Amino acid sequence: MTSDQVFVGLGLIVVLAVGSQVVASRLGIPALIVLLPAGCIAGALTSDVNPGLLLGDTFSPLVSLAVAVILYDAGLGLDLKRFRAHTRRVVARLIWLGVPLTGISAALAGLPLLGISRSAAIMLGAIVVVSGPTVVGPLLDFVRPTERLRRILLWEGSLIDPLGGILGALVFHGIVAGERGAFASQAGYFAVSVGVGVAGGVAGSALLILALRTLRPGEVLGTTVQLAAVVGVAAACDVARDDTGLIAAVLMGLAVANLRGADVPARRPFFETLVNLVIGLLFISVSATVSPGSLRHVVLPTLGLVAVLVLVTRPLVAATASLRTDLTFGERGFLGWMAPRGIVAAATASTFSATLVEKGIGGASTILPATFVVIVATVTLYGLTAKPAARRLGVMRSARSRPLLVGGDPWVIDLGRALREAGLDVVMWAGHEVQRERIRATGLELAPGRLFAAATGAGAELEGLTGVLLLTDENDFNALASTNLEATIEGSVYRLGPSTDSPGVIAPYTAGQILFDTVLTGPELARRYDRGARVVTHRIDGPIPAGHQMLFLVRGDGALLPVTRTTIPTPRSGDVAVLLSA
């Protein structure tokens, strides 16, 4: 290819990756539903979008390293403190029962449906056992199921991807070598591969945590240090044994997230942006390698295979995995309706199918297009039906706001009671024991531990926090906490504004979302409360009562809208206003 073609091809891949995600966001559907057909169509319309020609032999290793980065990020989101006994049991069963059942059923169904050889059917079965965070994570963000279901599915996807990648390599080498009945040698190969990945993960985790602890590189440089460590360790492991770098990557993310001393923030905007871009690039690139012509005679038979996997295999695996656990009927049902295939399946099929074709394995040319159809069909099916299914099964997370109020002054506690009366699930935190006793006396939920642990959910069962309100009488504390918390929690962070004559060193100069107008500062609220003003609720069915000032508005769906120095929400009939009386 000429340099102009390379520029055009690389530019188109990046533009299609980001553009597809933007279009999906505007349509309110999972991005993967747009990414896969976009890549396939682009690959058919122009030869410039052809990763095989653009990157040559480096394409497959780059895909493997990119998947390692994604799995490392998934590992960072796995909290061992919340991995309880029932959750562990379900995840373990989903893997050690789900992998063989899915592989066997896919091979048995693919053999007659696709008309392929036994070796090709076994290879296809080994490929489609994986799920993975590249597809499960975005779908869960879109559906918003309960936290327990989210944890189970993320753990399953993060662990099954590397094991599935090794299983695919194991089956591939067995087919190429033409081994028959050598179960012991294959089991030994698998055990050694897992050992290499674990050893790489342990060594890489130790080196990375040591570097983060001693060098203290900061957020931006710390992200590049993590990226370099993951890519370096994954590459070394893959050199030693195929696909073992994926295990190492997950273990490194798990270690950094759960061991002390790593000092990695709960939210990593740059790393999250990088992972999101990598996911888009991978799906566009891999789907561009599938030609429409190769799908012509594969689509209908493969949809039959998908029906077996979706309607028979996955519900059976989920039902078996959740036996004698405390999962509800709805949770078990949703668990049986969430098993999309992702980038590891596509990468494995892309890597191994060409070699099997060269070796003359019957039906090997069908493996890649069939895998592509499985991915598109499962992602589309689950993407379009998972939210209605979750709603029907009663396992969707509540849309109501759950704010964390920081502060223990009397007016703050009064505000917490008012928000609770408005129907919100309020959590409070205060630093002084006297204030904490006041909060306990009101019956409001009190967050344990330190502020940053409470706000991020670390070390405490504070799930689903939607925002933080910093309401202490220390302006500089509010400003510093706002700056730090905005980078660590998913929701919005608001703080009281400093008075115009504030002697604070930081508060007057720190950006952030400041509550109420310029007059209604923390000291002014305390003064008005001492003079008899109170925080009350009022259901909107007309104008705000005279002599009252609106602080917050609670919509009918439970969304909390604060009054800030830049925004005043417009009341609607049926809303509940939280007011400061005269």
Side-chain angles (χ1 to χ4, degrees):
M1 299 183 73
T2 66
S3 58
D4 288 346
Q5 290 175 310
V6 172
F7 278 126
V8 171
L10 293 177
L12 280 174
I13 289 175
V14 173
V15 170
L16 286 171
V18 177
S20 298
Q21 292 171 330
V22 171
V23 169
S25 176
R26 299 293 295 175
L27 294 176
I29 60 176
L32 303 180
I33 296 178
V34 182
L35 283 166
L36 292 170
C40 184
I41 293 170
L45 294 178
T46 173
S47 60
D48 293 337
V49 184
N50 188 324
L53 296 176
L54 287 170
L55 302 173
D57 293 338
T58 64
F59 175 58
S60 180
L62 285 175
V63 168
S64 181
L65 294 178
V67 173
V69 172
I70 295 170
L71 291 180
Y72 171 77
D73 181 67
L76 288 174
L78 301 178
D79 188 354
L80 288 173
K81 297 183 184 70
R82 300 182 180 182
F83 199 37
R84 297 193 189 93
H86 283 287
T87 305
R88 287 197 300 271
R89 189 178 308 149
V90 173
V91 172
R93 290 174 178 174
L94 285 173
I95 293 173
W96 68 263
L97 281 175
V99 168
L101 284 176
T102 303
I104 292 172
S105 63
L108 291 176
L111 195 62
L113 287 173
L114 296 170
I116 55 180
S117 66
R118 187 176 66 174
S119 295
I122 294 172
M123 186 74 252
L124 179 62
I127 289 172
V128 299
V129 299
V130 296
S131 177
T134 58
V135 285
V136 173
L139 285 178
L140 294 179
D141 291 339
F142 177 70
V143 177
R144 291 177 57 82
T146 60
E147 282 295 319
R148 178 160 64 172
L149 273 176
R150 179 182 178 83
R151 287 196 296 271
I152 289 173
L153 290 166
L154 284 178
W155 272 95
E156 179 199 11
S158 299
L159 296 179
I160 206 170
D161 259 9
L163 293 177
I166 291 175
L167 177 64
L170 169 69
V171 171
F172 168 76
H173 289 301
I175 292 173
V176 171
E179 296 182 11
R180 296 287 187 272
F183 176 79
S185 66
Q186 296 297 324
Y189 181 96
F190 185 81
V192 171
S193 296
V194 172
V196 170
V198 170
V202 171
S205 300
L207 290 174
L208 179 54
I209 291 175
L210 180 64
L212 294 173
R213 183 183 298 174
T214 56
L215 299 178
R216 300 288 179 183
E219 182 177 337
V220 176
L221 189 57
T223 297
T224 56
V225 169
Q226 293 176 69
L227 183 62
V230 172
V231 171
V233 171
C237 291
D238 284 342
V239 169
R241 187 77 70 154
D242 290 340
D243 290 321
T244 55
L246 304 184
I247 288 181
V250 170
L251 291 179
M252 289 175 68
L254 194 61
V256 169
N258 291 276
L259 297 179
R260 293 182 179 180
D263 195 25
V264 175
R267 292 192 71 203
R268 306 160 299 279
F270 176 76
F271 205 88
E272 291 169 358
T273 302
L274 174 66
V275 169
N276 197 47
L277 177 61
V278 167
I279 290 174
L281 295 176
L282 283 177
F283 275 104
I284 291 292
S285 299
V286 173
S287 59
T289 63
V290 181
S291 65
S294 65
L295 298 174
R296 187 174 298 113
H297 303 295
V298 174
V299 173
L300 289 179
T302 306
L303 289 178
L305 171 62
V306 171
V308 172
L309 294 175
V310 170
L311 301 177
V312 179
T313 305
R314 181 62 183 188
L316 177 62
V317 169
T320 306
S322 57
L323 281 176
R324 297 182 180 178
T325 66
D326 60 354
L327 264 65
T328 65
F329 174 80
E331 288 173 328
R332 297 180 191 209
F334 187 79
L335 203 61
W337 195 251
M338 181 57 67
R341 271 61 181 180
I343 194 62
V344 172
T348 305
S350 176
T351 300
F352 296 144
S353 60
T355 303
L356 293 178
V357 171
E358 293 176 0
K359 295 290 183 180
I361 302 299
S365 60
T366 304
I367 292 175
L368 180 58
T371 303
F372 180 81
V373 173
V374 170
I375 294 171
V376 172
T378 55
V379 169
T380 303
L381 176 64
Y382 293 128
L384 296 178
T385 63
K387 181 172 280 190
R391 189 181 296 113
R392 184 70 178 259
L393 294 168
V395 295
M396 285 189 68
R397 197 185 310 169
S398 173
R400 304 189 73 81
S401 295
R402 189 172 191 235
L404 172 65
L405 276 60
V406 178
D409 290 339
W411 76 268
V412 179
I413 298 175
D414 207 18
L415 173 62
R417 281 197 296 252
L419 291 174
R420 183 176 61 182
E421 289 175 11
L424 301 187
D425 183 10
V426 178
V427 184
M428 297 196 67
W429 183 92
H432 300 296
E433 189 56 36
V434 174
Q435 295 175 334
R436 297 174 71 83
E437 286 298 330
R438 288 186 200 144
I439 294 170
R440 291 190 187 98
T442 64
L444 291 165
E445 182 178 354
L446 179 65
R450 295 178 297 176
L451 171 60
F452 291 98
T456 60
E461 292 304 313
L462 296 177
E463 299 170 349
L465 289 178
T466 57
V468 178
L469 305 176
L470 296 163
L471 308 172
T472 75
D473 57 3
E474 295 288 341
N475 291 327
D476 283 345
F477 173 84
N478 293 338
L480 282 171
S482 174
T483 301
N484 283 278
L485 289 174
E486 282 180 344
T488 58
I489 72 166
E490 294 185 4
S492 300
V493 179
Y494 301 91
R495 65 182 175 95
L496 288 175
S499 55
T500 54
D501 58 349
S502 171
V505 177
I506 300 168
Y509 311 105
T510 305
Q513 302 190 73
I514 299 179
L515 291 167
F516 318 135
D517 59 29
T518 55
V519 176
L520 211 55
T521 61
E524 178 63 20
L525 280 163
R527 278 193 295 270
R528 292 193 189 183
Y529 195 84
D530 290 340
R531 293 172 185 167
R534 291 295 180 265
V535 182
V536 298
T537 59
H538 171 74
R539 185 165 294 279
I540 301 296
D541 54 7
I544 301 257
H548 289 69
Q549 186 170 353
M550 188 168 69
L551 305 178
F552 297 90
L553 201 60
V554 180
R555 296 291 191 202
D557 61 357
L560 178 64
L561 305 178
V563 175
T564 69
R565 291 191 178 178
T566 58
T567 305
I568 300 177
T570 303
R572 304 172 187 164
S573 179
D575 291 347
V576 176
V578 179
L579 310 173
L580 182 67
S581 66

